[in-house]
Amino acid sequence: MELARQALAEDGAPADSLLTVSVYRRRKIVRLALDGPHTAGRRGSHWYSEHHTLARLLSREVGVTVHSYVYDPQEYEEVKAFGGGQHVGGERLLYDEVELPECLDGEFDDEAFARMQAQWPMGHLAWVFGVERELLLQLHRMQGTRLVLNGSGPDSPSPLDQLLRGVPA
């Protein structure tokens, strides 16, 4: 929780932001998101695209690769990877720069488009996690737990630790 509070401060997010935690235990995927009015809708996508402090801090503290992603279905998708507190890779795809597969007999080739999407940043990240792209795109809709970050005093016991129990790094 302390890392989330630090990220909140460093990213200049409002103090009343929440930390939403969703766990997809089947593939050991944990989604952490700072939530508030600044992260809602398309404007939120752009905010997340520029603020990666939580991912950077977690990668350093926990010693794992942390992926930060943004999906704006009207404009772009982006994945950034952090390891040891440093940006170590990633990719951004602007949809208006994509050449769509040609139509066959006047009909759009859905299968070719799906193969194409599997190569895009979110498709590649889904492959890394061993899930379908659509599941990854819907993680934000999974039931999550919202944790207040602006509380005073140490966490005892840490609600985040309780949520992540049994999800090894």
Side-chain angles (χ1 to χ4, degrees), residues 148-164:
V148 175
L149 294 173
N150 63 358
S152 58
D155 301 318
S156 172
S158 171
L160 189 53
D161 289 342
Q162 291 174 11
L163 286 169
L164 300 179

Side-chain angles (χ1 to χ4, degrees), residues 4-101:
R5 287 185 188 109
Q6 183 179 344
L8 187 78
E10 286 185 32
D11 281 339
D16 62 350
S17 298
L18 301 172
L19 178 66
T20 299
V21 182
S22 304
V23 180
Y24 183 68
R25 292 187 185 282
R26 189 171 188 195
R27 297 301 302 168
K28 300 175 185 167
I29 298 172
V30 178
R31 178 184 176 270
L32 301 173
L34 292 175
D35 281 340
H38 64 289
T39 62
R42 292 192 70 206
R43 187 179 77 188
S45 296
H46 293 273
W47 187 89
Y48 277 121
S49 189
E50 297 172 8
H51 296 88
H52 305 104
T53 304
L54 183 56
R56 183 177 48 77
L57 292 174
L58 279 170
S59 75
R60 183 184 66 217
E61 189 72 23
V62 182
V64 298
T65 301
V66 176
H67 296 89
S68 174
Y69 67 87
V70 174
Y71 175 67
D72 179 338
Q74 297 175 5
E75 189 175 344
Y76 70 103
E77 60 188 63
E78 171 182 78
V79 174
K80 290 188 178 183
F82 294 85
Q86 302 295 316
H87 177 252
V88 295
E91 182 180 10
R92 178 181 221 178
L93 177 85
L94 300 171
Y95 296 139
D96 63 358
E97 295 177 0
V98 172
E99 288 188 42
L100 296 175

Side-chain angles (χ1 to χ4, degrees), residues 130-149:
V131 298
E132 296 294 321
R133 183 176 194 274
E134 287 306 312
L135 180 121
L136 190 60
L137 295 176
Q138 297 303 316
L139 282 179
H140 71 284
R141 292 199 169 127
M142 285 178 56
Q143 181 174 349
T145 301
R146 297 177 65 140
L147 304 173
V148 175
L149 294 173

